[in-house]
Amino acid sequence: MKAKKTYLILIASTFFAICSMVLLFIFSEDIIHHQNNFVRRFPNEVSKVHQIDLRFNSYYLAGTAANKIYLGNYTAPLLITVIDTALNTKQEFNADLSNMDFPFQSVQVRVAPPNFYVVDGTVPIIFKGKIKDWKATVKWHGSVLFSRFELIDSLTIACRSIKNPSGESVLGTLYFGNPAVLNLNFELLQKQIDGIFDVDGTLQYDPVLERLVYVYLYRNQFIVADKKLNLDYRGKTIDTVHRAQIKVAYLANRHEKKLAAPPLIVNKISAVYKNLLFVNSGLPGRYEDDKMWKEASIIDVYDLNNKSYISSFYVYDINNKKLKSFFVRDNHFYGFIGQYLVDYKFTNLITDSYSLKKTQ
Amino acid sequence: MKLKNNIKCVIIELISLLYILLFVYAAVSKLIDFENFQVQLGQSPLLSAFAGPIAWIVPIVEIVISGLLIFPKARLIGLFGAFSLMVMFTAYIIIILNFSSYIPCSCGGILEKMSWKTHMVFNIIFIMLAVAAILLIQKNNDKNEVL
């Protein structure tokens, strides 16, 4: 076997191996790219005002009041950061819990002055305290597990819990005063495939409209309900995916349920302010520039009062990091991008749509 | 001369043994937890469309190559196969780390616990071992022809 032949075969094998992987990659990029039958409108109504470097990418919104923004942190669960709405000053506080002896797994804080709350739906437990000294004591320690929750008032949360025995998700409210009362509405979340993965979504509550809004992750629908979980209506987002495109597998020997293929994410994350619903969509529409899709995230705006789509705008990535979560206050849009919190200002088009008129 | 030859033979056998160990372990651990392996392949941004067939093909190819490496006559083919497979695995890691929109889990027993970067170093070392063994065998064959 001559040396030359050996080298030739080695080079040919390398070439063939690399080519086959690259081909596989090109074919499956298709799964990620879905062009849908919808068109967006971009009347250009936001402009970036300011940004603040939080130095870590693990912050989330815990609450707002007057001209203050309260942030929680996923990796430092008891750290509460207070920023002014102009994103200039930053103060840090540490919450003090009366009793740390619980199997915490998913701790989140919420601030609604003069109170603040430390909640873990996996224990499940709710601590309550005053923001003047950031000390909290156990307010409720029950047995109903929940993921996703939002404060409705000082003693009530809306939450996503699980049905017994199927384990499927269900929306409910928990009054954690004394005695605690749990209300579940099994009709709100509608199962399409498995009842857990396919109904995944984000939960929001707006105190002005007094409405709960749940936006599905994998389908073009959102649910609007009142504080008592009565269904107002089911809204539709402008894309065309009405059935969750996910594949769920059950592994009997491991007792695990998993997503068996990359899911098609339709609505990534949402926020509600007054009568407007903001949705960060995962799908490019028709006639949109592919390049924009790689450099920015898109937010679609809907009016919950007259059930209409208003318009869309882009939020630019920073250092190749995409928008992770966001919230809206007055005519400002705040977004968490990487370790930054950015502030975009709306022009009249959006603020004019604000209306305190509730749906009848 | 004979000693040098012996050392070369030992090295070739050692490398083949290492590969047999690696591939048999990897193949068996995939086959034992087969359903889970199929699901993990399905989650990969590169392979999900082909997860069904690939889930069978990979362990079977690993076992076939191990078989070839056992017999000295078939060793060269086995080493070329092992080399190609390792290059494919490494290309997969590089594409996932740099070009795909997200990074899925890795799979395969102990190797599951390695980070993607460690895995790449591990693969490159094995690729170099295969090339070394192939070149050694080829040198030996050359020598035999000359004689």
Side-chain angles (χ1 to χ4, degrees):
Chain A
M1 179 97 149
K2 296 206 195 83
K4 227 190 223 168
K5 194 168 173 202
T6 310
Y7 286 123
L8 221 62
I9 297 188
L10 271 176
I11 294 179
S13 312
T14 313
F15 183 69
F16 158 74
I18 296 182
C19 270
S20 55
M21 292 320 275
V22 170
L23 267 167
L24 270 180
F25 174 62
I26 294 178
F27 274 131
S28 32
E29 274 289 83
D30 238 28
I31 281 188
I32 318 224
H33 269 295
H34 282 242
Q35 286 284 352
N36 279 293
N37 210 344
F38 62 99
V39 183
R40 288 196 167 96
R41 282 178 271 156
F42 296 97
N44 207 1
E45 69 264 354
V46 293
S47 55
K48 184 162 169 186
V49 171
H50 198 38
Q51 72 184 39
I52 182 175
D53 183 357
L54 296 171
R55 309 223 283 128
F56 298 102
N57 64 357
S58 41
Y59 288 93
Y60 60 90
L61 178 71
T64 55
N67 55 346
K68 292 209 178 81
I69 297 174
Y70 298 91
L71 302 180
N73 189 305
Y74 292 114
T75 50
L78 295 177
L79 177 70
I80 299 179
T81 311
V82 185
I83 306 185
D84 69 310
T85 44
L87 299 190
N88 283 324
T89 59
K90 189 169 95 154
Q91 275 181 302
E92 290 181 346
F93 300 97
N94 275 309
D96 188 13
L97 298 182
S98 58
N99 183 351
M100 300 274 271
D101 206 3
F102 296 99
F104 295 113
Q105 277 185 297
S106 169
V107 179
Q108 285 202 30
V109 300
R110 291 289 187 272
V111 178
N115 303 312
F116 80 101
Y117 306 81
V118 179
V119 181
D120 187 334
T122 63
V123 174
I125 192 164
I126 300 181
F127 290 82
K128 186 173 169 195
K130 296 276 186 222
I131 64 176
K132 63 175 192 299
D133 59 7
W134 298 108
K135 290 200 204 303
T137 54
V138 179
K139 185 69 190 165
W140 173 83
H141 179 28
S143 57
V144 174
L145 300 172
F146 56 88
S147 55
R148 304 256 192 262
F149 68 94
E150 286 305 326
L151 270 178
I152 292 187
D153 61 42
S154 62
L155 282 175
T156 321
I157 54 166
C159 60
R160 182 179 70 189
S161 186
I162 38 184
K163 281 192 234 180
N164 274 325
S166 62
E168 293 174 359
S169 302
V170 59
L171 291 181
T173 57
L174 171 69
Y175 169 76
F176 51 95
N178 213 343
V181 177
L182 173 72
N183 259 328
L184 298 175
N185 183 337
F186 298 97
E187 315 293 316
L188 288 179
L189 289 180
Q190 293 176 314
K191 168 173 145 174
Q192 275 181 350
I193 298 173
D194 67 308
I196 302 179
F197 284 109
D198 65 330
V199 295
D200 201 357
T202 50
L203 181 63
Q204 303 286 337
Y205 177 73
D206 186 77
V208 167
L209 214 57
E210 290 190 339
R211 285 294 182 278
L212 270 170
V213 180
Y214 186 85
V215 181
Y216 285 110
L217 204 57
Y218 305 122
R219 63 182 100 152
N220 65 351
Q221 213 193 62
F222 57 91
I223 301 171
V224 181
D226 67 12
K227 309 199 278 194
K228 301 228 170 23
L229 299 175
N230 297 316
L231 176 67
D232 246 10
Y233 70 95
R234 295 182 196 279
K236 211 172 108 10
T237 52
I238 56 173
D239 62 273
T240 54
V241 180
H242 62 124
R243 199 173 162 84
Q245 312 260 319
I246 61 171
K247 215 164 84 158
V248 184
Y250 178 63
L251 301 170
N253 61 339
R254 280 196 178 193
H255 299 295
E256 272 179 13
K257 240 196 214 179
K258 284 174 134 163
L259 282 179
L264 180 65
I265 299 184
V266 175
N267 304 306
K268 284 189 191 171
I269 198 154
S270 65
V272 179
Y273 185 64
K274 294 197 183 156
N275 62 318
L276 295 186
L277 169 65
F278 299 81
V279 180
N280 172 210
S281 172
L283 300 175
R286 264 189 176 177
Y287 316 130
E288 279 170 45
D289 193 354
D290 244 356
K291 213 162 54 132
M292 274 316 280
W293 198 251
K294 295 195 178 104
E295 297 175 6
S297 303
I298 200 156
I299 311 282
D300 299 322
V301 189
Y302 301 86
D303 186 332
L304 293 174
N305 275 340
N306 53 21
K307 307 181 192 175
S308 63
Y309 159 69
I310 299 181
S311 61
S312 308
F313 59 91
Y314 285 114
V315 174
Y316 287 89
D317 301 349
I318 296 181
N319 296 337
N320 283 325
K321 299 277 195 325
K322 292 201 112 52
L323 180 68
K324 203 163 61 153
S325 65
F326 60 92
F327 57 99
V328 175
R329 287 300 177 269
D330 295 321
N331 58 339
H332 285 261
F333 168 99
Y334 298 93
F336 292 94
I337 302 179
Q339 61 195 59
Y340 293 90
L341 179 60
V342 298
D343 175 9
Y344 280 51
K345 189 156 171 217
F346 294 134
T347 58
N348 294 332
L349 195 67
I350 295 208
T351 50
D352 279 350
S353 305
Y354 281 147
S355 154
L356 297 178
K357 207 169 22 129
K358 299 186 201 164
T359 46
Q360 33 97 299
Chain B
M1 273 298 274
K2 217 167 177 198
L3 196 60
K4 244 197 198 162
N5 240 357
N6 262 348
I7 293 184
K8 286 207 185 109
C9 280
V10 167
I11 294 182
I12 294 172
E13 289 203 0
L14 225 79
I15 293 179
S16 304
L17 208 66
L18 263 174
Y19 259 105
I20 293 175
L21 205 65
L22 175 70
F23 282 163
V24 167
Y25 175 76
V28 167
S29 69
K30 288 182 182 95
L31 291 173
I32 283 186
D33 206 359
F34 188 67
E35 229 185 355
N36 195 34
F37 174 57
Q38 235 175 353
V39 166
Q40 284 173 330
L41 279 190
Q43 290 177 343
S44 154
L46 246 79
L47 305 173
S48 53
F50 315 103
I54 290 192
W56 280 113
I57 294 178
V58 171
I60 290 182
V61 165
E62 284 173 338
I63 293 183
V64 165
I65 292 181
S66 305
L68 289 174
L69 288 173
I70 296 182
F71 304 105
K73 291 261 167 89
R75 211 161 263 170
L76 193 58
I77 300 182
L79 282 169
F80 271 121
F83 169 79
S84 304
L85 202 61
M86 288 311 272
V87 172
M88 275 196 234
F89 288 158
T90 312
Y92 176 80
I93 294 179
I94 294 180
I95 293 179
I96 290 260
L97 285 180
N98 292 311
F99 299 108
S100 84
S101 48
Y102 71 95
I103 300 179
C105 81
S106 39
C107 4
I110 276 192
L111 306 177
E112 195 169 86
K113 304 230 163 67
M114 285 200 256
S115 75
W116 286 96
K117 296 230 163 110
T118 314
H119 212 304
M120 213 160 61
V121 171
F122 181 87
N123 279 17
I124 292 182
I125 292 181
F126 264 86
I127 290 179
M128 296 198 294
L129 286 179
V131 173
I134 290 176
L135 292 179
L136 279 177
I137 292 187
Q138 174 251 309
K139 255 198 194 166
N140 262 358
N141 287 350
D142 268 1
K143 211 161 279 160
N144 289 343
E145 278 169 23
V146 169
L147 286 172

